[in-house]
Amino acid sequence: MLTYLLLAFMLLSLGFIGYRTVRHGPEYRLVENAGLAVVILVAASALGEAAGAGDWFRWARYAYAVLGAAYIAYGAYAKYRGGTDGYGQ
């Protein structure tokens, strides 16, 4: 049950970050979105192993980590290019 709850949080956070990225651009609230992705990833890694999740959840964590890292790199590049401070200003 905990595994599915963590998977739901991972998908929800991806949707939330994706909505903000499409709506306002990748540099909008970059710090908050990156923090959200990192916290969810750490929770999924720690609690997923404790719950005894299978290999499919490990691969879901890997995919989430890759997507999170790609978003952070893309947002950092957009911030550098656009000259904003990562909070949408």
Side-chain angles (χ1 to χ4, degrees):
M1 181 67 174
L2 181 62
T3 305
Y4 296 114
L5 182 65
L6 290 171
L7 183 63
F9 280 138
M10 289 167 63
L11 293 174
L12 186 65
S13 69
L14 283 177
F16 185 70
I17 292 170
Y19 171 76
R20 278 185 168 178
T21 301
V22 169
R23 181 91 173 162
H24 301 289
E27 72 274 6
Y28 179 75
R29 306 271 185 193
L30 173 64
V31 175
E32 291 177 8
N33 290 340
L36 175 68
V38 168
V39 166
I40 295 292
L41 181 63
V42 169
S45 296
L47 297 174
E49 292 298 324
D55 285 338
W56 68 270
F57 190 68
R58 181 177 301 136
W59 286 107
R61 284 194 334 244
Y62 292 157
Y64 185 81
V66 167
L67 288 173
Y71 167 75
I72 291 170
Y74 180 55
Y77 173 71
K79 181 186 146 329
Y80 169 74
R81 184 189 52 174
T84 63
D85 64 354
Y87 286 99
Q89 300 174 9

